[in-house]
Amino acid sequence: MKLHRTPHPPTCDREISSAEFWSSSFAEREETFRWLRENAPVSWHPPLEDPEVPASVHGEAGFWALTLAEDISFVSRNHEEFSSELGMPYLPPRAPGQPTMAPSILELDPPRHTDYRRALSSAFMPKTVRLLTEKIEQRAEQIVDRVVGAGSFDFVAEVSSKLPMLTVADLVGIPEDQINSFAEAGNNLVERHDPETLEKLPAGVTLQDWTNQQVGYLMGMGVELAEARRARPADDVMTRLVTTDVVGRTLNNEDIGIMMVLLSVAGNDTTKQTTSHTVVNLARHPEQRNWLLEDFDGRIMGAIEEFLRYATPVLHFARTATRDVTIRGTEITAGDKVGLFYCSGNRDSTVFSDPEKFDITRPPSKHVAFGGGGVHYCIGAGVAKAQLRALFRQILTKLPDLEVGEPEQLIGGGMNGIKRLPVTAGKATARW
Ligand code: HEM
């Protein structure tokens, strides 16, 4: 099948492909997405500009942008016509020959995906998640206790970034003394397109080298853990992963290494960004913070859905059409890349009333922050919600006078990211 078609369809005159577009704020980008939803919900665009893979090498023609929640769900739930394996499920173009390692679960279709998902599911079984939740609650308390009365500090470094990495570490059994370097490598991967990272690259190291170094480090860590559990099995997730026959064989070192790379990003930065955005949003809406505190246990789970919708930490993913399909009268040809813009789906006024308004009292409706459903729907959704519940219980009750400054936006990486958030926490213990 031809993956890079020519001639390509007429290009939409609203551009969403440049690095400049993705450097603007979420609200500025949303003006374009609103226009697309209303006027061209399925539109063709040139390939995303990517500092790692210049246009001269990737040879991609472009992609279809799907901007309505309904279409994002349709494609996400239809893996036979929209593959994650045929092309790559990411919007930035890939250079020929990439990736150099075996595909992760995100990059597979059934039946291979089903096998790997079953293997990974052992880490998300109810008993495991229950035990993990107890640990999450203890960790959340310790994290917030450390900053009570701390004065001015960066909320991202001291609070938002801590719990997700500790949770993934607890999940797979990363030793305490390696947790920080695990998180650092994961963050380096997510932040690699930010101009600050590009400026700080060591002399003679290209962005591709830098990326490979982080991936190599994380894979090595996974292999070490896997080998340790094969030698000394324990009652934990890693032991189950390396000893159970789930893909017609037990998972090998490479499988485990790739899982570590995926978890370091998928399980780490997403929850971190949701936390940072929500702290900003609740500070801007004290009446909602008070409403939540009036009945925290009764209201938090509904509120979390709005935290996620509003933050939409993962901005987009992609699929490749396996056959010709028509969506809203537009013919998508086999081999075409299709971008799923969760950031747009979560502002779709046909699903959410006043979609641009942060409103934790809104009735439950289906956001696409965890994907549009289907086989790749986020496997860590329950774990992410457990973290948000535990952390906001602590933040709201123990940091009553938190003053929240201006967030600094993370650029690139397909994330709605905040890289720094200055805050001040006094010693007061009264509730908000
Ligand atoms: C706020 C937090 C999170 C958000 C917004 C989020 C978002 C997503 C999205 C959009 C996808 C892709 C869905 C698709 O392609 O249809 C995904 C997949 C995935 N997520 Fe999450 N995620 C979060 C937390 C987590 C956590 C905590 C973990 C693990 C500890 C995790 C592990 C995964 C994995 C392994 C996949 C791949 C699943 C598959 O391909 O079958 N995520 N997530």
Side-chain angles (χ1 to χ4, degrees):
M1 180 182 305
K2 199 167 169 215
L3 281 183
H4 306 305
R5 62 134 112 179
T6 41
H8 56 70
T11 299
C12 179
D13 59 6
R14 298 292 163 122
E15 84 89 7
I16 57 170
S17 302
S18 67
E20 194 186 342
F21 176 79
W22 291 100
S23 304
S24 60
S25 70
F26 192 102
E28 286 164 333
R29 293 193 302 256
E30 168 50 17
E31 284 174 28
T32 301
F33 283 117
R34 189 185 313 122
W35 187 92
L36 289 172
R37 286 193 301 275
E38 287 167 5
N39 300 286
V42 183
S43 55
W44 180 262
H45 298 265
L48 214 66
E49 197 181 319
D50 184 340
E52 236 169 327
V53 189
S56 53
V57 300
H58 62 65
E60 281 195 17
F63 61 86
W64 292 106
L66 299 194
T67 52
L68 292 173
E70 188 184 347
D71 297 344
I72 293 168
S73 290
F74 168 72
V75 168
S76 304
R77 289 165 195 270
N78 187 352
H79 62 262
E80 286 177 357
E81 289 178 321
F82 296 96
S83 164
S84 295
E85 192 165 329
L86 191 58
M88 295 291 274
Y90 314 110
L91 205 56
R94 297 278 131 168
Q98 275 188 307
T100 47
M101 55 185 193
S104 81
I105 179 176
L106 265 172
E107 297 148 358
L108 293 172
D109 294 330
R112 281 212 295 169
H113 171 269
T114 317
D115 286 344
Y116 281 90
R117 177 109 182 176
R118 196 178 308 126
L120 196 54
S121 296
S122 71
F124 297 92
M125 288 188 311
K127 183 182 159 214
T128 318
V129 173
R130 224 176 14 255
L131 292 174
L132 192 63
T133 302
E134 285 169 23
K135 195 88 196 206
I136 286 172
E137 280 163 6
Q138 288 165 14
R139 298 278 203 188
E141 192 171 1
Q142 288 158 1
I143 291 165
V144 174
D145 282 349
R146 275 181 60 243
V147 296
V148 170
S152 299
F153 62 93
D154 173 17
F155 194 84
V156 175
E158 299 303 329
V159 180
S160 314
S161 64
K162 299 275 183 213
L163 189 57
M165 73 172 178
L166 289 166
T167 302
V168 174
D170 287 335
L171 189 71
V172 293
I174 296 170
E176 205 78 28
D177 62 346
Q178 290 179 32
I179 293 178
N180 282 338
S181 43
F182 166 75
E184 194 182 330
N187 288 341
N188 286 345
L189 276 183
V190 174
E191 296 181 3
R192 69 191 190 278
H193 291 161
D194 189 88
E196 216 175 286
T197 310
L198 297 175
E199 275 165 26
K200 279 195 306 209
L201 283 184
V205 174
T206 65
L207 184 55
Q208 190 65 56
D209 296 337
W210 174 249
T211 304
N212 291 342
Q213 278 171 19
Q214 314 309 314
V215 169
Y217 177 78
L218 290 162
M219 289 199 62
M221 185 178 263
V223 169
E224 236 177 72
L225 278 177
E227 285 177 347
R229 287 300 184 278
R230 281 194 203 100
R232 283 183 309 283
D235 180 20
D236 63 13
V237 165
M238 186 54 80
T239 304
R240 282 199 292 284
L241 285 177
V242 297
T243 56
T244 314
D245 182 350
V246 269
V247 291
R249 56 170 172 80
T250 50
L251 297 182
N252 61 29
N253 282 352
E254 196 184 14
D255 296 324
I256 299 289
I258 289 162
M259 238 175 233
M260 289 292 282
V261 178
L262 177 61
L263 289 178
S264 74
V265 177
N268 201 353
D269 217 67
T270 46
T271 318
K272 164 178 150 186
Q273 301 303 352
T274 310
T275 302
S276 302
H277 281 290
T278 303
V279 164
V280 174
N281 293 331
L282 289 176
R284 287 179 185 162
H285 299 278
E287 74 296 346
Q288 295 193 42
R289 196 181 58 197
N290 293 339
W291 179 84
L292 177 55
L293 266 173
E294 278 164 21
D295 178 12
F296 184 86
D297 287 319
R299 294 175 176 169
I300 185 63
M301 294 321 285
I304 284 174
E305 300 305 332
E306 180 68 353
F307 297 174
L308 287 156
R309 180 191 79 86
Y310 211 75
T312 313
V314 181
L315 294 169
H316 47 68
F317 263 123
R319 302 289 191 266
T320 301
T322 60
R323 53 185 88 132
D324 297 353
V325 189
T326 301
I327 302 182
R328 290 186 198 275
T330 299
E331 195 192 305
I332 309 229
T333 304
D336 285 354
K337 187 172 198 168
V338 177
L340 308 175
F341 287 88
Y342 306 133
C343 52
S344 175
N346 277 345
R347 295 292 183 274
D348 183 343
S349 61
T350 62
V351 182
F352 308 100
S353 55
D354 275 340
E356 67 296 336
K357 199 167 139 200
F358 176 73
D359 179 5
I360 60 174
T361 68
R362 66 171 67 242
S365 44
K366 212 68 205 109
H367 62 73
V368 289
F370 288 125
V375 297
H376 290 282
Y377 186 78
C378 178
I379 200 170
V383 173
K385 289 181 192 178
Q387 291 181 63
L388 293 167
R389 183 179 54 203
L391 201 53
F392 277 93
R393 184 192 299 282
Q394 298 295 324
I395 293 171
L396 292 179
T397 53
K398 292 189 175 156
L399 301 174
D401 60 345
L402 193 71
E403 285 169 29
V404 179
E406 274 309 301
E408 259 184 78
Q409 186 184 343
L410 174 74
I411 309 292
M415 298 295 292
N416 183 22
I418 293 178
K419 58 181 169 185
R420 275 182 288 273
L421 179 61
V423 297
T424 307
K427 290 198 167 56
T429 50
R431 285 160 65 106
W432 258 333

